[in-house]
Structure formats: structure tokens, C-alpha cells
Amino acid sequence: MRGITIAIDGPAASGKSTTAAAVAEALGYCHLNSGQLYRAITWASLRGAWNGSENRFRRELERLDLRLDRHTPGYRVLVNGRDIGEGLVSVETSSHVSAVSTRKSVRDKVLAMLRNEGGQGGVVCDGRDIGTVVFPDAELKVFLIASAEERGRRRLRDRGLELTPDGIRREAGLLQARDAADSERILAPLRRAPDAVLLDTTTLSPSEVVDRIVSMARRAEAAFG
Ligand code: CDP
């Protein structure tokens, strides 16, 4: 049995990627992190300064060597054969990624890569439009949310930064601005699928979130697997 498809969507820093990786590991599935593909394209377009006109952007995007390299339990994204490490999560990449993700050429490319890798099942894919657009037939869909303040705190902690009230407020503001851009775009906006389970993680520990999703997945495996 290859397993079911699990879609985990939600706003920025709601814990999707960490949760998806742990759920994939617990189930022996593969973790596909769609945000990394959008981030890698954004990084490359900033690096090559082709982030302007749509014609140039399309040409360069077609030429871009973007690959998913299997790296249990997930993938590494390679740009021109290279792991770009911190470039994926830099403040510069994060502040441009929503705009780059609105481009149809970008969404088409990422959609094709995700379906190609995850289309057979046995996958936990996280992002913004996984349950609505990428895998609308996923057997289990989860929409993770958490308060902006808690998400700001988590993001600062991830970066090893000090948790001051001002810092948390600033970070929460940046996350909310990205959520607004992701929710308001026309193509594949951030949206909860009607059949997605809503899970508020504000007061839950990472392992509580993982345990809940793994239990739901086991039930879905029994029903559909
Ligand atoms: O980790 P974080 O929640 O900050 O974001 P991410 O999952 O790495 O996604 C970064 C950005 O990529 C998002 O803000 C969206 O603009 C875009 N994205 C998207 O448009 N569709 C997806 N399925 C995943 C990410």
C-alpha cells in the first residue's frame, strides 16, 4: 500500500512544515514542502535580477534548473544543482515570496512538480493551496491556525532571536502582511478547503499537534487505504 494523501495548509508560521515532516516520519510517508519551491524560485529571481517583467521572468523560469532531491523523509530543493540553505528562509526571500507566488508561470511550475512527486499517495504536502488546488482529492486535509502573536514568537525562536514584546509584535505584523497577500491573490489563494479539519495550535505543543493528525491519518488510512 502506498498510503493516502495528506494536505496541510495554513497561514505563515502556523507550524505546517514541522508538523508535516513529523507526521510523514511517523507514518513512513514522504514530506513535500511546497513553500520551499516558491522560496527557491524567489531566491533565484532576486539573485539573477529577473524579478521584473513577465516576459523575462517566464524565459528565465523555463531555464531554471529546479529539482526535488529525495532526502528521507522529505526532499531537498536544489537550484542549479545546489542546496541554497539559508537563502530559502532569508528575510529578503520571505519579503518577496508572496509577490512571486502570484505569477501564473510560477504556480504552474510548482503544481506540476508537486503532482509529479506526490500524485501516487503516501505523501504529506504542506502549503497554502494543497487541499484546494494541488491535491483536492486528498483523503485527509488539515488547516492549521495559531494566533499571530504565537506565530511571531515561534518564528523568532526558530531563528534563535530574543523574544521581546516589540520583536514579537513586529514579526507578527510581517506574518500577517504575508497572510493578507496570500489570501487576497486571485490564483490559488490561502483558503481552508470546506472539507479540511481546522486545528488551532496556539496552546498545543508540537507533539500534541502531530499526535492528533497521525490519529486522523490512521483512521483515514483504514477507511481509504
Ligand atoms: O514557512 P512559512 O509559513 O513562512 O511559509 P512557506 O510555507 O515557506 O511559504 C512561503 C510563501 O510561499 C507563502 O507566503 C506563499 O506566498 C507561497 N506559497 C504559496 O503561494 N502556495 C503554497 N502552496 C505554499 C507557499
Side-chain angles (χ1 to χ4, degrees):
M1 190 196 81
R2 282 215 50 151
I4 60 168
T5 299
I6 302 174
I8 302 185
D9 289 301
S14 53
K16 301 178 301 291
S17 304
T18 321
T19 305
V23 169
E25 189 148 24
L27 297 171
Y29 283 16
C30 183
H31 172 216
L32 262 179
N33 180 337
S34 66
Q36 288 201 338
L37 290 169
Y38 291 99
R39 287 174 175 275
I41 294 171
T42 303
W43 177 87
S45 70
L46 293 170
R47 206 26 138 51
W50 41 270
N51 194 21
S53 83
E54 182 60 16
N55 276 348
R56 164 112 199 266
F57 190 97
R58 269 176 197 269
R59 244 191 352 261
E60 299 285 352
L61 183 62
E62 254 167 50
R63 277 211 287 260
L64 182 70
D65 174 13
L66 184 67
R67 261 176 292 154
L68 284 167
D69 176 41
R70 191 73 214 263
H71 198 75
T72 317
Y75 289 87
R76 264 185 331 165
V77 178
L78 299 181
V79 180
N80 298 324
R82 224 182 104 206
D83 181 341
I84 60 171
E86 286 297 300
L88 280 183
V89 291
S90 71
V91 173
E92 205 199 0
T93 300
S94 299
S95 64
H96 287 85
V97 65
S98 287
V100 169
S101 304
T102 61
R103 294 181 186 258
K104 181 163 186 332
S105 52
V106 171
R107 302 218 71 85
D108 288 347
K109 185 175 179 92
V110 173
L111 179 71
M113 290 180 76
L114 295 173
R115 287 197 179 149
N116 186 41
E117 291 297 333
Q120 302 299 316
V123 69
V124 186
C125 186
D126 75 281
R128 303 291 186 289
D129 60 340
I130 309 304
T132 50
V133 175
V134 182
F135 296 122
D137 297 329
E139 288 86 355
L140 174 62
K141 300 179 186 177
V142 180
F143 197 84
L144 287 186
I145 55 166
S147 73
E149 191 189 332
E150 175 59 19
R151 293 188 287 126
R153 202 175 290 126
R154 290 177 190 169
R155 191 58 32 123
L156 290 180
R157 209 182 291 130
D158 287 349
R159 293 208 196 105
L161 299 174
E162 206 190 333
L163 300 183
T164 62
D166 268 0
I168 294 171
R169 213 171 303 121
R170 202 171 323 115
E171 191 60 33
L174 291 174
L175 295 172
Q176 283 175 305
R178 188 142 59 83
D179 294 341
D182 290 341
S183 306
E184 285 157 17
R185 70 177 175 227
I186 294 170
L187 288 175
L190 164 64
R191 192 160 296 158
R192 176 186 168 196
D195 51 347
V197 177
L198 183 69
L199 193 52
D200 186 340
T201 72
T202 308
T203 59
L204 297 177
S205 70
S207 62
E208 283 173 315
V209 179
V210 172
D211 290 350
R212 287 190 193 196
I213 299 178
V214 168
S215 309
M216 290 187 251
R218 298 262 187 238
R219 282 198 296 275
E221 273 181 336
F224 300 105

